[in-house]
């Protein structure tokens, strides 16, 4: 379809949570002469957290975060983490620019078709319609299993596009509750948001795999941003970060809470243009004097 995608992966060596993070920046350019409509960008993740057959997934709507955690308190087998397994998250820091005046609050800041204007201290001083364009953050979150069922691995472009739009392989939209497959339930944008969806984009409040009692499995998940129009020559950026944390007690949900705190640090790093505020500590030195040299 004529897209050029430039990708850069990078990380930092530090003595804090940032040491366990990796970051990915994509520049997407439409090099074709075609205008692409109803476009989505998606970040696909096959997390395989330790023992890969017992995973749950979820999302944090406000943070634009998708994550994986263990479906029980013990991550078994030689490839597992054992008790108090960690959690891993993928944060959708930066997404594409929405079409002007599309009538959608794409950045979920409470203002439709506008962006915040701030002063030098970061204080919001006014709203201004589409000066730079409204950025689309995570607008869909869904999972699928590593199998060939209607909620399994995609096969062909129609399945891939359906998953970007929050639709199962059999063309049934994702619905609220349980495993997202109840045709009598309301449709939703975000699967398993927990309590992070006060605006009810996923509708009806709290919902997680843990509270639903789903059977853990080999989960894959997808965060997508759309829709928008991609004109010839248009340039868009997508930036994501992967965070990891392991609690010492409290089970897998304690690791999720700790991972979200690490994600806040990752978000602050992104907001600061990836300029580390605090570098690693200077090394401790012990000097031994010898003949005409120091060790």
């Amino acid at each position: 379809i004529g897209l050029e995608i430039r990708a850069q992966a990078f990380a930092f060596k530090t003595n804090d949570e940032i040491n366990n993070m990796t970051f990915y920046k994509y520049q997407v350019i439409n090099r074709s002469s075609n205008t692409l409509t109803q476009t989505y960008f998606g970040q696909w993740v096959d997390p395989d957290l330790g023992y890969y057959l017992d995973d749950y997934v979820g999302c944090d709507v406000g943070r634009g975060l998708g994550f994986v955690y263990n479906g029980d308190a013990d991550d078994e087998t030689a490839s597992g983490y054992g008790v108090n397994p960690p959690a891993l998250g993928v944060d959708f820091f930066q997404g594409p620019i929405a079409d002007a005046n599309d009538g959608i609050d794409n950045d979920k800041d409470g203002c439709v078709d506008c962006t915040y204007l701030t002063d030098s201290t970061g204080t919001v001083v006014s709203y201004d319609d589409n000066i730079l364009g409204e950025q689309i953050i995570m607008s869909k979150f869904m999972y699928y299993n590593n199998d060939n069922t209607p909620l399994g691995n995609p096969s062909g472009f129609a399945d891939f596009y359906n998953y970007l739009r929050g639709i199962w392989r059999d063309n049934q939209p994702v619905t609220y509750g349980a495993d997202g497959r109840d045709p009598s339930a309301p449709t939703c944008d975000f699967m398993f948001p927990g309590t992070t969806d006060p605006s009810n984009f996923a509708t009806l409040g709290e919902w997680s795999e843990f509270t639903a009692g789903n059977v853990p499995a080999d989960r894959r998940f997808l965060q997508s941003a759309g829709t928008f129009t991609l004109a010839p020559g248009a340039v868009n950026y997508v930036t994501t970060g992967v965070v990891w944390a392991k609690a010492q007690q409290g089970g897998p949900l304690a690791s999720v809470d700790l991972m979200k705190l690490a994600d806040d640090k990752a978000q602050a790093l992104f907001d600061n243009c990836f300029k580390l505020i605090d570098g690693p500590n200077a090394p401790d030195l012990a000097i031994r004097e010898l003949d005409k040299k120091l060790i």
Side-chain angles (χ1 to χ4, degrees):
I1 57 178
L3 293 185
E4 176 182 336
I5 302 176
R6 304 176 182 183
Q8 180 186 31
F10 55 98
F12 299 90
K13 185 172 179 61
T14 69
N15 55 3
D16 62 4
E17 298 92 337
I18 296 174
N19 196 66
N20 291 326
M21 301 175 187
T22 54
F23 301 93
Y24 306 86
K25 186 164 188 174
Y26 305 92
Q27 182 187 41
V28 185
I29 308 169
N30 185 0
R31 295 293 191 190
S32 76
S33 59
N34 299 315
T35 298
L36 304 180
T37 61
Q38 297 294 303
T39 309
Y40 286 86
F41 286 164
Q43 171 66 42
W44 174 85
V45 186
D46 179 12
D48 288 344
L49 187 71
Y51 177 55
Y52 65 97
L53 291 176
D54 64 349
D55 292 343
Y56 277 161
V57 297
C59 73
D60 188 302
V61 176
R63 289 181 169 90
L65 176 73
F67 55 86
V68 60
Y69 60 105
N70 216 59
D72 54 45
D74 186 4
D75 193 29
E76 303 92 345
T77 79
S79 63
Y81 285 97
V83 295
N84 297 307
L88 179 142
V90 179
D91 196 319
F92 207 104
F93 294 125
Q94 181 183 22
I97 301 301
D99 295 347
N101 302 312
D102 64 359
I104 301 172
D105 183 11
N106 292 284
D107 52 7
K108 297 178 176 58
D109 60 3
C111 180
V112 176
D113 290 329
C114 60
T115 55
Y116 286 117
L117 290 181
T118 61
D119 61 20
S120 59
T121 66
T123 302
V124 175
V125 293
S126 67
Y127 295 103
D128 205 309
D129 290 351
N130 292 301
I131 286 183
L132 300 175
E134 192 177 41
Q135 186 182 126
I136 307 175
I137 62 172
M138 184 180 76
S139 52
K140 301 283 185 182
F141 176 86
M142 72 177 301
Y143 84 100
Y144 65 88
N145 290 322
N146 183 18
D147 58 34
N148 292 315
T149 66
L151 62 162
N153 293 311
S155 176
F157 69 87
D159 289 348
F160 285 100
Y161 192 58
N162 269 355
Y163 277 154
L164 287 166
R165 298 185 296 157
I167 300 173
W168 298 110
R169 292 179 63 193
D170 57 0
N171 294 313
Q172 177 181 314
V174 169
T175 57
Y176 174 84
D179 62 356
R181 292 279 302 167
D182 183 358
S184 63
T187 60
C188 63
D189 292 333
F190 304 102
M191 298 190 72
F192 314 129
T195 59
T196 69
D197 187 24
S199 297
N200 287 332
F201 293 104
T203 71
L204 303 182
E206 182 178 1
W207 174 31
S208 71
E209 291 219 75
F210 184 81
T211 57
N214 292 344
V215 177
D218 183 6
R219 299 277 197 261
R220 287 90 190 270
F221 66 82
L222 183 70
Q223 300 153 278
S224 59
T227 63
F228 62 98
T229 301
L230 199 61
V235 180
N236 273 280
Y237 295 89
V238 175
T239 304
T240 63
V242 179
V243 297
W244 181 95
K246 184 178 187 300
Q248 298 304 308
Q249 59 183 4
L253 294 180
S255 291
V256 171
D257 292 338
L258 195 62
M259 179 271 299
K260 289 185 178 183
L261 294 178
D263 180 63
D264 291 341
K265 201 162 193 174
Q267 181 68 56
L269 186 61
F270 169 78
D271 293 341
N272 199 43
C273 299
F274 293 108
K275 295 177 182 178
L276 289 174
I277 298 174
D278 299 313
N281 293 334
D284 296 325
L285 298 180
I287 301 176
R288 185 153 58 101
E289 298 182 10
L290 297 178
D291 184 25
K292 298 181 180 179
K293 63 180 179 181
L294 299 174
I295 296 178

